Amino acid sequence: MKRERINKGFAEMFKNGVIMDVTTPEQARIAQEAGACAVMALERVPADIRKDGQVARMSDPSMIQAIMEAVTIPVMAKVRIGHFMEARILEALGVDFIDESEVLTPADESRHVDKSQFKVPFVCGARNLGEALRRINEGAAMIRTKGEAGTGNIVEAVRHMRAINEEIAALKGLDGHQLTLKAGEMRVPVTLVEQTRELGRLSVVNFAAGGVATPADAALMMALGSDGVFVGSGVFKSENPARMAHAIVQAVIHYQDPVRLVEISKNLGTAMIGLENKVLEIKMAERGV
Amino acid sequence: MLVGLLGLQGAFLDHIPHLDRCGATPVVVRDIQGLSRVDRLIIPGGESTVMTKFMVEFGMLEPLRARINSGMPVWGVCAGAILLAEQVDGKSGVLGVLSAQLTRNAYGRQIASDAISIRVPVLGLENYPAIFIRAPRIDTLDPSVTVHARREIDPVFVQEGNVIATTFHPELNSDDFFHRYFLDL
């Protein structure tokens, strides 16, 4: 319980910030310099994982360690869904946060990691309220959307953020019996559903992730109620990573100010090349429900 | 009373329920104009590198330092304490309005973050559960700085006139002791 509060509190510190995928210490330094509030260390960004079509696993700890040594901001790293041993390894390595991520190839098709058994905090993806509450119930200290990673297409992240907001709003109209049914349907304790209704939002920080490619995308997600933004391939697959990274961070700060967003969006070079949803062979978001 | 929350990054919205309960009016401050309107300012927890970067880029550093030097009460929480300090990790600090030397992330990474019971006599608290998150450590202080609470020997709640700093996060608890103290400065 105490650990849970400390870890949820840590996630609060990322709010109104941008967490960036990096594959080298050099990229980590560029991200920190551009104003990232944390970095996600991984061997290949989602756009390349998607292209390669191979099994994607936890990154080499020596590569993650080199990034931890390169920056002072917190460092996150990914494990496969359900792969509690990769999680044990990253915890022992001392990463600040673990992303149990659908971007990697799932290790377990029916169970996620029991995150309550760990000292290190976890972030998990969710497409809807049921997924979000199941992950929180397993001990996730932070939630993010499961926008299609590596596509540069924001549509799925928008869908997930809206779905969660609408489902939470709909809890208001339910009586006690209906709430119990709803909890059963979502396979979570009714107290968690009651708490969510009471708060009018998830009980943990909720970030946008997957498909963020421009400052406008980041501002859009903030306006839809995201607490902050993950940018995966969007920075280092763009023409000018340092400039794009800086612009996305500024857009998160000034998302309510379209006049400032004009200046922020100017002369950034080409954003990452986007992929239309219908041409995707793998829908990562369908992994780990 | 308008209480500014420096809103460049971090856990600034978390102070709103506390300030509401104390009858103060919170305002998020993101630029010089916003800064000029508030009666006092909270610099929140978050990433000090990010806040520093944008305070400089948005030209807020000098106006803020001038206001603090002319007596505006300011409270730095964790990363906020880092921004206030005269010296950080052996280098010159950002605002330099608190005569203290700090070390960032001195207690270790997130695994080492912890809730620790502290005594805060000035608030009449015997066992306050202070939440430390990748906290900085206050190494040395000028005699002009009062220590209100310690974690073992390390000062964790200090005051120099109109400037207060906590290296832990009272905004993550549900009480308002620290907010009331700040509003009474």
Side-chain angles (χ1 to χ4, degrees), chain A residues 2-3 5-10 12-18 32-38 68-69 71-75 91 93-97 119-121 246 249-250 252-257 260, chain B residues 7-14 28 30-33 44-50 53-54 57-58 77-78 89 104-105 108-116 129 131-134 169 171-174:
Chain A
K2 185 174 115 176
R3 196 68 221 167
R5 283 194 60 210
I6 294 162
N7 283 341
K8 285 181 178 177
F10 181 35
E12 300 284 327
M13 301 307 140
F14 295 131
K15 284 194 301 193
N16 310 283
V18 180
Q32 176 170 271
E33 184 62 31
C37 68
M68 288 162 66
E69 284 159 10
V71 292
T72 58
I73 55 178
V75 176
E91 182 179 55
L93 178 64
V95 299
D96 294 295
F97 231 101
K119 214 174 164 187
V120 66
H246 182 221
V249 178
Q250 283 182 293
V252 166
I253 299 173
H254 290 302
Y255 74 92
Q256 291 158 311
D257 189 339
R260 276 208 171 91
Chain B
L8 299 177
Q9 194 272 323
F12 51 89
L13 300 174
D14 300 61
V28 176
R30 294 190 170 94
D31 50 28
I32 307 174
Q33 292 76 17
E47 274 311 311
S48 58
T49 50
V50 183
K53 178 181 175 62
F54 290 102
E57 273 185 31
F58 301 158
V77 178
C78 193
D89 297 341
R104 289 195 293 165
N105 304 331
R109 307 191 75 97
Q110 175 58 10
I111 292 268
S113 294
D114 211 352
I116 288 169
I131 300 179
F132 291 89
I133 297 174
R134 285 173 48 105
H169 293 272
E171 80 282 9
L172 296 178
N173 288 340
S174 50

Side-chain angles (χ1 to χ4, degrees), chain A residues 3-4 7 58-61 64-65 68 75-80 83-100 113-122 138-139, chain B residues 108-113:
Chain A
R3 196 68 221 167
E4 185 187 322
N7 283 341
M58 174 187 82
S59 298
D60 183 333
I64 298 169
Q65 202 163 17
M68 288 162 66
V75 176
M76 301 185 166
K78 291 181 193 289
V79 300
R80 286 177 267 180
H83 206 312
F84 58 85
M85 200 47 76
E86 285 185 345
R88 284 287 172 217
I89 292 168
L90 290 188
E91 182 179 55
L93 178 64
V95 299
D96 294 295
F97 231 101
I98 292 177
D99 183 9
E100 187 180 19
V113 173
D114 179 2
K115 293 163 276 286
S116 64
Q117 300 303 309
F118 287 76
K119 214 174 164 187
V120 66
F122 284 76
E138 291 156 1
Chain B
R109 307 191 75 97
Q110 175 58 10
I111 292 268
S113 294

Side-chain angles (χ1 to χ4, degrees), chain A residues 4 6 13 29 47 64 69 107 113 124 132 135 141 148 164 174 192 199 220 226 237 239 244:
Chain A
E4 185 187 322
I6 294 162
M13 301 307 140
R29 278 188 286 266
I64 298 169
E69 284 159 10
V113 173
C124 289
R135 300 296 87 80
E148 275 303 326
I164 288 176
L174 304 185
L192 184 56
L199 290 169
L220 171 70
S226 302
K237 286 288 170 186
E239 189 182 340
M244 182 62 82

Side-chain angles (χ1 to χ4, degrees), chain A residues 46-48 50-51 148-156 210-214 217 233-239 244 269-281:
Chain A
D48 291 330
R50 193 173 278 289
K51 215 162 27 184
E148 275 303 326
T151 64
N153 187 346
I154 198 67
V155 67
E156 292 296 313
V212 176
T214 65
D217 288 344
S233 319
V235 168
F236 289 100
K237 286 288 170 186
S238 71
E239 189 182 340
M244 182 62 82
T270 316
M272 71 175 286
I273 306 298
L275 289 173
E276 270 283 8
N277 243 335
K278 54 180 180 262
V279 305
L280 300 182
E281 283 173 23

